[in-house]
Amino acid sequence: MQATVLVAGTAVGEALVLPEPLSLWGGLNPETGEIIDRRHPNTGQVVTGKVLVLPIGRGSSSASSILLEAVRLGTAPAAILTAEVDGILALGAAVARELYDHSPPVLVLDAAGYTAVQTGDYLQINEDGRVDIL
Amino acid sequence: MAIELTAEDEAMLAGERGTAVQMSMRILVTMAGVYGAGRLLDVTSAHIDGCLYHGESGLEFAERLVAGGAQVRIPTTLNVGAVDLLHPEHFQGSPALAARAARLMQAYEQMGCQPIWTCAPYQAMHRPVLGTDVAWAESNAIVFANSVLGARTNRYGDFIDICMAITGRAPAFGLHLPENRRGQLLFQLQDIPERLLREDVFFPVLGYLLGETAQSKIPVIEGLLPETTEDQLKALGAAAASSGAVALFHAVGVTPEAPTLEAAFQGRPSAQTIPVTLADLRQTLGKLGTAADGAIHVVALGSPHFSLAEFAAFMPLLEEYPPHPAVEFIVCTNRLVLAAVQQRGWLERLRAMRVRLVVDTCVVVAPIVRRQGGVLMTNSGKFAHYAPGNIGFEVVFGSLEECVRSANQGEVWRDVRLWRLEIGD
């Protein structure tokens, strides 16, 4: 399927689909990659190396910092796929590219694509935004 | 989509204004693409959230800008940092961490930003006027600027905030464009007792409900009283921007872009109407806390930063119900308010009652609370939302009076009349 590219890149990884939005600030520990928002259904799960699939971020605008720090520490997801454009996540990735020359690609899936992806699927993200379920 | 750049934009992008300006412009152009903006526009002020330390990477970013000669082009204020620079002893983390956090704050000052260190800049004399384009970060400040002041900003965050301050430009999209400021969901207050509509505690609860339901949409609230205060709207917005990604709300007859219901929806009907009843609010109230009523260990107030009006309501309560010595009591505010509190003789009284005033920072973004874990009580929807994940406390939510009287007895005190349908029923 074809996704809209916000920050381009390639990645392969296992999908982790969050049924609810997540604020990375207060929601993700960049040292461990663990979801720490205790009100979130995926609390305690680790995003590192996963293709993180979520409706959208939420809450504080500091989320981009947490993503950048996760990239620096090597705990970031392999890629981020959302249902709606989330500029704060894209920004974290764009800055990571400036500072560290690499970042997880950030893409937006259409409604059909978004519902097609399940936790545990292996996904390949291509530079042009094509997403393949392996 | 191609982005139309002015000659000056092109010069900045080509590096003719220095490497910091160039990196800023490169990030802005990427983000214009992300948001589908066809051009950039001028912004008249900025509020920066990037000065809060989240790790080495943010410091690397800021120091790279400083090294590249960065100076802000427009009046720019700073949000909280991680260290109370007036009272550094409040910081409970390691000295190495405090030093890095202070270095980050210094880097932003070096770029010419005004060091007011507050999440409520709108109560510290930074008040853009109706219809002006600004570049603001910090979720509560964004929702306040848009909704209460009628200035126009998107939900900007760390990094892009300083890029816009350095270039004076922002991607022309979203809430900068008047047609995108139209209300999207109508929340109709139904049979809420008028008494409750005047209570401060009503607003973070309503805001939390709004954020959960509206997520990133623009809610319109019908049924608030015209005399709703600025602090009440501040609490509503902060909660809505915690449970959801609300960047703008309209309150009919209260906020500047919603003199009428019709104006809030720009003349078109609402797609969806959501009734809000007392039962709905009670349910949301339950979600704001994670602990059952019982012993409490910490009371924290002031997210967003406590205003002078909030102190004026707080002081007589505190005199009547001084905190129990075993309860840690913290209020977060900004330096201007601190000076006014001191001038009124309140600071001495607060110290005598062992209430700690924290400026420049706040308890959910930095290690300020001395106690490790336990139950924290607050009247702030934002503290209630973030305290469990960020600093590992269970949370009890209550009104200002409930917080003060609970601190007095060391366990939760409830004002049972607050959430009743009518007094006496």
Side-chain angles (χ1 to χ4, degrees):
Chain A
M1 52 198 163
Q2 183 64 39
T4 306
V5 177
L6 300 186
V7 177
T10 58
V12 177
E14 188 185 343
L16 172 61
V17 181
L18 309 187
E20 284 182 20
L22 173 71
S23 167
L24 295 194
W25 186 75
L28 183 78
N29 180 348
E31 287 175 8
T32 60
E34 186 187 331
I35 296 174
I36 53 170
D37 177 352
R38 290 179 33 207
R39 293 181 182 82
H40 197 278
N42 298 85
T43 188
Q45 290 187 271
V46 173
V47 305
T48 308
K50 299 278 172 66
V51 175
L52 187 64
V53 183
L54 73 170
I56 192 172
R58 75 171 165 206
S60 175
S61 45
S62 294
S64 43
S65 280
I66 302 298
L67 180 58
L68 180 67
E69 189 62 5
V71 171
R72 184 181 77 86
L73 293 170
T75 63
I80 298 174
L81 304 180
T82 58
E84 286 178 65
V85 172
D86 187 313
I88 288 176
L89 292 175
L91 176 63
V95 175
R97 211 169 47 178
E98 290 284 339
L99 284 190
Y100 305 119
D101 295 325
H102 70 92
S103 82
V106 181
L107 301 98
V108 183
L109 291 167
D110 62 19
Y114 189 82
T115 48
V117 178
Q118 306 288 326
T119 290
D121 288 349
Y122 271 85
L123 302 181
Q124 179 171 315
I125 318 295
N126 301 288
E127 187 77 27
D128 63 359
R130 206 178 71 249
V131 177
D132 301 315
I133 301 180
L134 301 178
Chain B
M1 177 164 150
I3 293 151
E4 190 186 308
L5 298 175
T6 63
E8 179 58 18
D9 292 337
E10 296 280 11
M12 290 194 263
L13 193 60
E16 291 168 28
R17 306 285 179 268
T19 57
V21 172
Q22 183 180 29
M23 180 167 104
S24 299
M25 190 48 98
R26 198 159 52 220
I27 291 172
L28 282 182
V29 168
T30 299
M31 294 309 293
V34 165
Y35 291 119
R39 64 187 172 93
L40 305 177
L41 51 72
D42 285 334
V43 278
T44 57
S45 84
H47 181 66
I48 306 290
D49 197 22
C51 46
L52 176 64
Y53 188 81
H54 292 288
E56 286 283 333
S57 52
L59 183 57
E60 282 177 35
F61 175 76
E63 291 188 338
R64 188 175 299 186
L65 286 174
V66 171
Q71 281 294 311
V72 297
R73 267 197 175 192
I74 50 178
T76 300
T77 51
L78 291 170
N79 201 55
V80 297
V83 184
D84 179 339
L85 297 172
L86 296 185
H87 319 94
E89 68 278 7
H90 285 324
F91 194 83
Q92 306 296 311
S94 75
L97 180 61
R100 286 199 301 275
R103 217 170 94 200
L104 181 68
M105 293 168 82
Q106 207 176 30
Y108 279 93
E109 273 199 75
Q110 277 178 307
M111 291 188 251
C113 307
Q114 297 162 30
I116 65 169
W117 312 122
T118 181
C119 55
Y122 46 82
Q123 291 181 327
M125 299 190 299
H126 187 176
R127 292 174 75 91
V129 299
L130 183 67
T132 49
D133 285 299
V134 297
W136 277 33
E138 161 47 39
S139 65
N140 104 82
I142 293 162
V143 72
F144 193 97
N146 273 319
S147 313
V148 183
L149 302 179
R152 296 174 186 170
T153 181
N154 285 303
R155 215 166 68 90
Y156 295 120
D158 304 355
F159 315 120
I160 194 173
D161 51 11
I162 192 68
C163 293
M164 293 183 291
I166 288 169
T167 58
R169 303 283 281 166
F173 78 104
L175 297 178
H176 288 301
L177 311 177
E179 64 272 24
N180 295 334
R181 300 177 66 84
R182 190 173 86 87
Q184 292 171 311
L185 291 174
L186 178 59
F187 289 83
Q188 241 166 10
L189 303 185
Q190 290 186 354
D191 303 324
I192 310 289
E194 197 178 306
R195 169 188 57 79
L196 188 57
L197 295 176
R198 296 179 196 282
E199 293 282 357
D200 291 347
V201 72
F202 170 74
F203 292 87
V205 178
L206 176 63
Y208 208 75
L209 181 151
L210 242 53
E212 275 193 325
T213 313
Q215 289 300 333
S216 58
K217 294 202 166 69
I218 300 170
V220 176
I221 312 158
E222 192 180 40
L224 291 184
L225 300 173
E227 58 268 35
T228 301
T229 69
E230 183 170 304
D231 281 318
Q232 290 170 339
L233 297 172
K234 161 175 110 168
L236 186 159
S242 299
S243 59
V246 174
L248 165 64
F249 67 85
H250 298 298
V252 177
V254 180
T255 57
E257 290 169 81
T260 62
L261 183 64
E262 209 184 9
F265 285 98
Q266 296 185 2
R268 282 181 278 170
S270 164
Q272 201 187 344
T273 300
I274 299 160
V276 178
T277 66
L278 194 60
D280 297 325
L281 291 165
R282 282 203 199 105
Q283 199 183 9
T284 304
L285 183 65
K287 292 182 194 168
L288 273 162
T290 62
D293 288 0
I296 60 160
H297 309 103
V298 179
V299 171
L301 310 177
S303 178
H305 276 171
F306 231 44
S307 68
L308 193 58
E310 288 172 303
F311 272 105
F314 172 54
M315 291 309 297
L317 277 171
L318 195 67
E319 292 290 353
E320 196 172 347
Y321 305 102
H324 190 282
V327 174
E328 198 175 334
F329 204 121
I330 302 170
V331 185
C332 303
T333 187
N334 69 59
R335 293 180 185 198
L336 289 177
V337 173
L338 174 66
V341 163
Q342 187 162 19
Q343 201 180 22
R344 281 163 178 72
W346 294 343
L347 188 59
E348 233 172 284
R349 295 299 305 144
L350 291 162
R351 282 195 180 133
M353 290 184 276
R354 289 179 305 277
V355 174
R356 272 203 292 161
L357 287 202
V358 170
V359 297
D360 301 348
T361 185
C362 97
V363 300
V364 295
V365 304
I368 302 292
V369 181
R370 292 190 183 121
R371 197 191 151 86
Q372 299 284 310
V375 178
L376 179 149
M377 188 165 181
T378 184
N379 68 342
S380 155
K382 185 164 183 174
F383 273 168
H385 184 82
Y386 287 113
N390 280 24
I391 56 171
F393 275 84
E394 299 291 338
V395 166
V396 173
F397 174 83
S399 70
L400 179 66
E401 185 180 3
E402 286 175 330
C403 288
V404 173
R405 293 183 68 170
S406 300
N408 173 260
Q409 55 185 45
E411 60 182 63
V412 175
W413 175 88
R414 286 296 180 191
D415 180 351
V416 291
R417 88 199 152 92
L418 271 179
W419 298 96
R420 277 188 187 162
L421 193 54
E422 290 302 341
I423 297 174
D425 68 351

